[in-house]
Amino acid sequence: MAHTLTRLPRGSDSQFGFKKESTYGTAVVVDKFLEAFSLGLVPNPRPIEPKGWKPGLRGKRHDADIAWVDGGAGAIGLEVPRAGSLGLWQAAFGGSNTCAIQGAGPAYLATFSPGAFTVANGCSLTMQLGVPMSDGTVEPHTYSGCFIPSWKVSCEAGGILEATFDVVAKAFSHTADLAAPTYAAAPTYFAWPMQPNVKRAGTTLPGVRSASVSVESVLNTERRLWDGAGAMALPLETELRSCTLELEVEPTSMAINWDDIADGTMRAWVVELVGTTAIAATYYPTYRLTIAAGKVIGDPISVDGPDEVLQKLTIEARDNGTDPLYKLEIMTTDTTIP
């Protein structure tokens, strides 16, 4: 159902909202809204065409196709706010994660580690996009049964931490009402000025130019079952997860920039942004992603021309049997994981 709002036919007048579902694929009214810069989640129309023919026709007949919209898929891109995004990270990690008060508050530490992708764990979301038409009318695009099988975060020098969540949805509808969005009056973000740091075995790795982390949870989103639904069944985790840290580095020494490649030493790697103004007492806004056992798999230092010598390092998370494969800690004023 289309709703006329005071907006213009431009992407900046679109909206993005989400909420966890209590039943997989049963849409709920979204109530959490974030400012996104890319809304690539789109419906997936897959009409079924019969193979038979009718004598006398010179083309495909016009009245035999079976209409079918197979949910939706695409990416949501946003700058990571200091408050309001915990529900997305919960859906991206799975498991039963915690949000604990620090001291007397109002700082809270949310800790995420990989776990089971279940509805009870908040992994099935309803997402709604408000898409402006050429006359300013905003069309609601509602997706239910949304799962996040992969995601990536990165932060350029002088920029804001950005996250891209790849989404697959069980069902799509444009008849649900468009939810009225509410936003933070003055949003704050995790950004470059917040003491950016990459640590190797507890010590700052010198010369880091850029850093990004990519995670693949490898969910099977192609499950089509004879279960009376005629839609994508609940995604299952069917392969090993992967977490990859990619760095561009000004190499400083062979001991730091080569030895781990040569001898395969596993080390702890941390990527973090920590604010300089405390939320309370000694608790600061923090975004920290930890790989407990990371293997450097390339590249050796090389000279490719007359320009400055730079090195690209790829660190692959390995499971040491004790620590989480990867872990995310977010210190904010959010009191719970919705």
Side-chain angles (χ1 to χ4, degrees), residues 93-161:
F93 272 76
S96 179
N97 297 299
T98 61
C99 190
I101 190 171
Q102 306 297 291
Y108 287 78
L109 178 63
T111 304
F112 302 90
S113 58
F117 283 99
T118 66
V119 176
N121 284 339
C123 299
S124 183
L125 305 177
T126 292
M127 294 185 175
Q128 187 183 70
L129 280 54
V131 182
M133 302 290 102
S134 61
D135 62 356
T137 302
V138 178
E139 286 281 356
H141 290 199
T142 304
Y143 299 85
S144 57
C146 294
F147 273 68
I148 300 175
S150 60
W151 54 272
K152 179 179 180 179
V153 291
S154 62
C155 185
E156 298 293 335
I160 298 174
L161 181 69

Side-chain angles (χ1 to χ4, degrees), residues 131-202:
V131 182
M133 302 290 102
S134 61
D135 62 356
T137 302
V138 178
E139 286 281 356
H141 290 199
T142 304
Y143 299 85
S144 57
C146 294
F147 273 68
I148 300 175
S150 60
W151 54 272
K152 179 179 180 179
V153 291
S154 62
C155 185
E156 298 293 335
I160 298 174
L161 181 69
E162 296 182 358
T164 300
F165 297 95
D166 294 318
V167 178
V168 292
K170 176 182 179 181
F172 164 77
S173 171
H174 66 87
T175 59
D177 288 340
L178 182 69
T182 56
Y183 297 96
T188 55
Y189 299 91
F190 293 105
W192 173 257
M194 298 174 67
Q195 303 181 83
N197 205 346
V198 174
K199 295 178 181 178
R200 167 186 175 269

Side-chain angles (χ1 to χ4, degrees), residues 67-326:
W68 180 36
V69 178
D70 188 21
I76 303 292
L78 52 86
E79 291 155 325
V80 180
R82 296 192 203 174
S85 67
L86 297 188
L88 287 178
W89 295 112
Q90 175 62 40
F93 272 76
S96 179
N97 297 299
T98 61
C99 190
I101 190 171
Q102 306 297 291
Y108 287 78
L109 178 63
T111 304
F112 302 90
S113 58
F117 283 99
T118 66
V119 176
N121 284 339
C123 299
S124 183
L125 305 177
T126 292
M127 294 185 175
Q128 187 183 70
L129 280 54
V131 182
M133 302 290 102
S134 61
D135 62 356
T137 302
V138 178
E139 286 281 356
H141 290 199
T142 304
Y143 299 85
S144 57
C146 294
F147 273 68
I148 300 175
S150 60
W151 54 272
K152 179 179 180 179
V153 291
S154 62
C155 185
E156 298 293 335
I160 298 174
L161 181 69
E162 296 182 358
T164 300
F165 297 95
D166 294 318
V167 178
V168 292
K170 176 182 179 181
F172 164 77
S173 171
H174 66 87
T175 59
D177 288 340
L178 182 69
T182 56
Y183 297 96
T188 55
Y189 299 91
F190 293 105
W192 173 257
M194 298 174 67
Q195 303 181 83
N197 205 346
V198 174
K199 295 178 181 178
R200 167 186 175 269
T203 302
T204 296
L205 180 69
V208 175
R209 285 281 191 90
S210 65
S212 66
V213 178
S214 301
V215 170
E216 295 281 347
S217 299
V218 199
L219 293 175
N220 182 356
T221 59
E222 296 297 329
R223 301 181 67 230
R224 305 292 188 272
L225 306 179
W226 288 70
D227 58 0
M232 182 179 75
L234 184 74
L236 295 179
E237 186 176 357
T238 55
E239 296 183 38
L240 296 177
R241 297 193 194 190
S242 67
C243 176
T244 304
L245 168 61
E246 294 182 321
L247 305 173
E248 185 179 53
V249 181
E250 300 171 356
T252 56
S253 76
M254 292 296 284
I256 295 176
N257 299 97
W258 164 251
D259 285 0
D260 289 352
I261 299 175
D263 59 27
T265 300
M266 301 286 175
R267 301 188 190 276
W269 292 81
V270 175
V271 178
E272 66 179 8
L273 296 168
V274 180
T276 56
T277 301
I279 300 174
T282 58
Y283 304 107
Y284 294 84
T286 301
Y287 186 98
R288 178 182 296 115
L289 201 146
T290 300
I291 295 174
K295 177 179 176 60
V296 181
I297 56 177
D299 287 323
I301 302 169
S302 64
V303 178
D304 300 319
D307 301 329
E308 180 182 8
V309 175
L310 297 175
Q311 181 183 22
K312 291 185 178 180
L313 293 178
T314 300
I315 294 93
E316 181 182 84
R318 296 294 182 91
D319 197 328
N320 63 11
T322 302
D323 302 293
L325 183 64
Y326 50 93

Side-chain angles (χ1 to χ4, degrees), residues 16-33:
F16 166 63
F18 66 96
K19 185 176 183 177
K20 71 177 181 181
E21 299 171 347
S22 56
T23 302
Y24 170 60
T26 299
V28 295
V29 178
V30 301
D31 59 7
K32 183 70 69 176
F33 301 89

